[in-house]
Amino acid sequence: MTWVLRGYTALLFTFVFAPIFFSMMFSFNSARFPTLPLEGFTTHWYETIFADEDFWRAARNSLIVSVSTGVLATILGFCTAYSDYRYRFRGQGAYLAIILLPPTIPLIVMALAMLAWFSKVGISGQVWTIIIAHTVLTAPFAMAIIRLRLNQIDASMEAAAWNLGASEWRAMREVILPFCRPAILSSLFLTAAVSFDEFTIAWFVSGLNKTLPVHVLEIVQGTIDPQVNAIGTLVFLTSMTLVIAAQLSIFFRLQRSTR
Amino acid sequence: MSEPLVVLDGVEKRFDDFVAVRRADLTINAGEFVAIMGPSGCGKTTTLRMLAGLEDPSAGTIHIDGKVMNGVPPHERDTPMVWQTLALFPFLNVRENVEFGLKMRGVAAPERGRRAKDWLERMEIGEFAGRNIETLSGGQKQRVALARALVTEPRLLLLDEPLSALDAHLVIRMQSVLTRLQRELGITFVYVTHSQSEAFAMADRIVIMASGEVAQVGGAREIYRNPANRFVAEFVGRNTILTGSVEGARLKTALGSFTMPGQGTQPADGTQANLVIAADRLQIGRGPLEVENTLRATLISEEFVGAFVTLFLEAEDGTEFKVQLQESALGALDLSSGGTFHLGWRGEQAHLMIEDAR
């Protein structure tokens, strides 16, 4: 039984990480085509992309979009999670369902709808258009993460803060936010990571302000170019760092509270 | 000492159709230890929350220290509360938890630290000042919660079933901590509980609430011996209640006619009334008893609590009788051979309760 599970796990990790591993490997291979055996070690592809202005523009756009999306989605997610935690109102179930809806819509449908809408109101093709679109996409994740944390709060904790002389705003700052801190950090990293990777919507609404994934596709459309492996490696490392940071911010919190 | 600190004047609280508290009138004096006791949903916690400003009365007024408190938000009151769940802040250490109330009142950091330290030492948890809340035991957390509530030196402390999460032996310990603290500080404690033993052990006065109404207010002894109505008689202690109608100096019931204890004014014949006999005042024997009221009953079950035993018996019409006696007295009764027992009580040791609307 144990070896079946072990084998299954090994297989799973292989399927997930083997392509990425090969992509990383080929990014340092001097051959033009990704075939084995490897030819020789090179940093040529990295040099090429670092010298490419388009790459830097795309990287800058991606960074701006992902950081802004992380912050906006987390603020929005926190506000919805808190309103759900704090108040009881008619249609609360529907309210939650609607908030959680965006990730269930096929990306291509959402991307097309957004493009149509943004063009209609005349704001298509800007960096902040991508930010708006990504915020809509990722805010539900932020909400879900923060809501989980708020579910763990002692039902009297906020009232205890008021009772000890904190106004509602003060209690928010001194009790609710510190309590949610690990979830807020986790949400920041995770939504930023999702935004950093997101391709479909970005491709439709970005116009000339390409993000990295859009840039990669445009290279691939032209030729088979090992540059893509180099960019892929960088994107992967960035996303992994963000996701791991998201995990750690929850993990450390748990460790502290069980110490 | 006896000036009123808290006055509830016709206070009512409705949640939509549900009436949580109904026309409550209550005066709590400065320096008093008052317990509000009743079953779940009787309105005791809602009453406490209204004192803290967490709920606003739907009708009536609440005065604290001579001021009308209706509409005053919780953070503008000086009514700290010890919560049932304690509600300590897990992201702050012990000292920071205790300092919280002072920080909210703008007390400077050095002063805060000094006062928090004083209170932690007073509660005998000074050594845990830098510790994470989660590392403390239940009793230690309890002390942190008390220190956090008392550090601002309020005149009124609200306690919402603070001991309900503790082990039995710790409850006894904390009871003495609480009573000692209250005597030393001379401040008013309003203590909500469903536990009769906690209320009777600590409070100067006990408020019994039932379905949103104040059923009786009085000292432990008064409530125990002279319950004001059927609810209190059933809720407090182990009472046997016989219902009947007044006939001269006797009460006629389905089980026979029994003498009534002396009354200030003799109720009119035909008045519906209840005779309440406390379990420790019922006598039991195998043979006839030398008291004016007697009857026979069958043993149903017994319940041991340390040195005392409560026997549950059933009379011929199904009325349940509860008799409490010393465990050592059981030998003479020969319980195992079953059959019927003689029960009896002295007329003046029963309590007469004129039937009310309920």
Side-chain angles (χ1 to χ4, degrees):
Chain A
M1 194 60 209
T2 332
W3 67 264
V4 173
L5 286 176
R6 284 208 186 120
Y8 172 76
T9 311
L11 214 60
L12 194 74
F13 276 101
T14 310
F15 271 105
V16 172
F17 289 107
I20 297 162
F21 173 76
F22 278 99
S23 162
M24 280 180 178
M25 207 169 68
F26 288 123
S27 75
F28 292 104
N29 185 20
S30 57
R32 181 149 188 86
F33 296 99
T35 49
L36 290 167
L38 298 172
E39 273 180 24
F41 179 81
T42 180
T43 52
H44 170 74
W45 311 117
Y46 287 92
E47 282 155 27
T48 315
I49 57 169
F50 289 152
D52 178 8
E53 240 175 77
D54 276 355
F55 168 78
W56 285 112
R57 214 174 295 121
R60 207 199 53 169
N61 283 341
S62 273
L63 203 69
I64 294 173
V65 167
S66 75
V67 170
S68 315
T69 300
V71 172
L72 284 177
T74 301
I75 292 174
L76 212 62
F78 175 82
C79 293
T80 25
Y82 180 76
S83 64
D84 172 60
Y85 154 77
R86 171 76 190 276
Y87 302 101
R88 292 288 158 264
F89 47 89
R90 199 191 298 267
Q92 195 157 3
Y95 171 74
L96 271 185
I98 289 169
I99 287 163
L100 290 168
L101 202 59
T104 66
I105 300 169
L107 277 179
I108 189 81
V109 174
M110 192 138 101
L112 275 167
M114 280 188 174
L115 176 63
W117 168 252
F118 289 147
S119 323
K120 188 120 195 155
V121 295
I123 57 169
S124 161
Q126 311 291 319
V127 169
W128 54 272
T129 319
I130 317 174
I131 296 174
I132 294 175
H134 279 183
T135 303
V136 171
L137 182 72
T138 56
F141 298 118
M143 206 267 325
I145 294 169
I146 295 167
R147 188 161 170 264
L148 273 180
R149 181 65 181 157
L150 280 171
N151 278 341
Q152 297 169 352
I153 202 168
D154 182 320
S156 309
M157 198 176 289
E158 194 176 20
W162 304 335
N163 181 251
L164 291 165
S167 65
E168 296 215 8
W169 283 109
R170 195 86 200 265
M172 170 63 78
R173 213 173 71 215
E174 303 274 354
V175 171
I176 300 294
L177 287 177
F179 184 85
C180 293
R181 214 179 87 105
I184 288 171
L185 285 178
S186 179
S187 148
L188 277 173
F189 292 130
L190 214 68
T191 50
V194 170
S195 161
F196 194 79
D197 281 354
E198 202 285 327
F199 164 73
T200 316
I201 293 177
W203 189 78
F204 274 91
V205 303
S206 62
L208 295 174
N209 295 294
K210 290 176 285 186
T211 59
L212 270 183
V214 178
H215 180 63
V216 168
L217 185 88
E218 291 190 352
I219 296 172
V220 172
Q221 274 177 330
T223 56
I224 295 181
D225 188 335
Q227 270 189 65
V228 169
N229 292 327
I231 299 176
T233 304
L234 294 175
V235 171
F236 173 74
L237 290 179
T238 312
S239 302
M240 277 314 270
T241 309
L242 289 170
V243 172
I244 289 170
Q247 294 285 326
L248 285 185
S249 53
I250 293 251
F251 179 71
F252 276 130
R253 178 72 236 171
L254 288 178
Q255 267 209 324
R256 255 194 75 189
S257 62
T258 50
R259 189 182 57 200
Chain B
M1 274 302 269
S2 60
E3 96 231 43
L5 182 69
V6 178
V7 179
L8 302 191
D9 186 6
V11 168
E12 199 156 301
K13 181 63 188 177
R14 288 181 298 270
F15 296 104
D16 298 325
D17 294 341
F18 177 69
V19 185
V21 176
R22 204 185 297 265
R23 293 182 303 279
D25 294 308
L26 182 64
T27 301
I28 297 169
N29 293 325
E32 220 181 355
F33 195 138
V34 170
I36 303 179
M37 186 170 103
S40 317
C42 71
K44 56 188 193 298
T45 297
T46 305
T47 305
L48 200 72
R49 289 176 64 88
M50 285 195 280
L51 293 181
L54 297 168
E55 309 287 353
D56 222 25
S58 313
T61 45
I62 295 179
H63 305 256
I64 297 179
D65 217 359
K67 289 188 286 286
V68 174
M69 297 307 279
N70 296 41
V72 177
H75 68 277
E76 286 170 20
R77 302 181 180 214
D78 193 14
T79 52
M81 172 126 87
V82 179
W83 307 78
Q84 183 169 16
T85 56
L86 299 185
L88 295 171
F89 304 128
F91 44 86
L92 300 179
N93 67 23
V94 169
R95 183 180 50 77
E96 291 163 338
N97 262 278
V98 176
E99 282 185 17
F100 192 89
L102 297 171
K103 191 176 171 192
M104 295 307 114
R105 282 171 176 75
V107 177
E111 167 81 359
R112 287 203 309 256
R114 200 179 51 72
R115 283 166 70 178
K117 187 165 169 280
D118 283 353
W119 270 98
L120 287 172
E121 272 158 20
R122 180 169 200 157
M123 298 310 298
E124 296 165 3
I125 44 172
E127 65 201 278
F128 303 120
R131 287 271 286 271
N132 189 314
I133 291 296
E134 312 293 334
T135 64
L136 303 185
S137 72
Q140 290 161 348
K141 284 184 189 168
Q142 191 67 248
R143 288 163 188 263
V144 177
L146 272 169
R148 183 180 73 170
L150 288 167
V151 74
T152 54
E153 283 156 27
R155 295 191 64 194
L156 174 64
L157 181 70
L158 309 175
L159 302 104
D160 184 15
E161 310 219 19
L163 307 185
S164 58
L166 293 185
D167 293 342
H169 68 282
L170 270 177
V171 170
I172 310 283
R173 268 282 287 294
M174 286 310 294
Q175 280 180 3
S176 70
V177 169
L178 284 171
T179 35
R180 205 194 63 220
L181 206 56
Q182 195 263 343
R183 301 277 181 274
E184 283 173 13
L185 297 170
I187 67 172
T188 308
F189 276 28
V190 179
Y191 188 102
V192 159
T193 182
H194 65 268
S195 155
Q196 193 179 316
S197 64
E198 284 177 24
F200 279 29
M202 295 186 283
D204 300 320
R205 262 191 328 151
I206 295 164
V207 179
I208 308 268
M209 288 189 74
S211 18
E213 286 180 59
V214 175
Q216 190 172 3
V217 183
R221 209 181 133 74
E222 183 188 345
I223 284 181
Y224 191 66
R225 288 303 178 201
N226 302 311
N229 49 53
R230 199 178 172 98
F231 174 81
V232 178
E234 281 170 355
F235 185 67
V236 175
R238 284 263 160 89
N239 291 311
T240 298
I241 302 168
L242 299 174
T243 306
S245 60
V246 174
E247 211 177 63
R250 299 180 75 87
L251 187 74
K252 203 169 150 238
T253 76
L255 284 167
S257 161
F258 303 109
T259 63
M260 298 192 309
Q263 290 286 304
T265 50
Q266 171 65 33
D269 278 9
T271 309
Q272 287 294 304
N274 295 308
L275 212 48
V276 182
I277 313 144
D280 58 331
R281 291 191 161 168
L282 260 179
Q283 298 174 28
I284 186 167
R286 277 292 184 185
L289 299 162
E290 298 294 310
V291 286
E292 57 269 53
N293 302 299
T294 55
L295 51 84
R296 292 168 75 89
T298 330
L299 184 67
I300 303 295
S301 63
E302 60 230 66
E303 189 183 288
F304 286 83
V305 184
F308 289 94
V309 187
T310 304
L311 302 179
F312 296 86
L313 300 101
E314 199 177 88
E316 59 195 29
D317 73 334
T319 308
E320 191 185 50
F321 283 77
K322 295 154 213 146
V323 186
Q324 192 185 61
L325 66 168
Q326 296 260 315
E327 193 264 345
S328 55
L330 280 185
L333 287 177
D334 185 21
L335 293 184
S336 54
S337 58
T340 60
F341 293 85
H342 290 260
L343 295 178
W345 67 94
R346 303 224 313 277
E348 73 271 19
Q349 288 204 326
H351 167 67
L352 187 75
M353 219 164 55
I354 304 301
E355 188 77 88
D356 50 8
R358 269 179 291 195

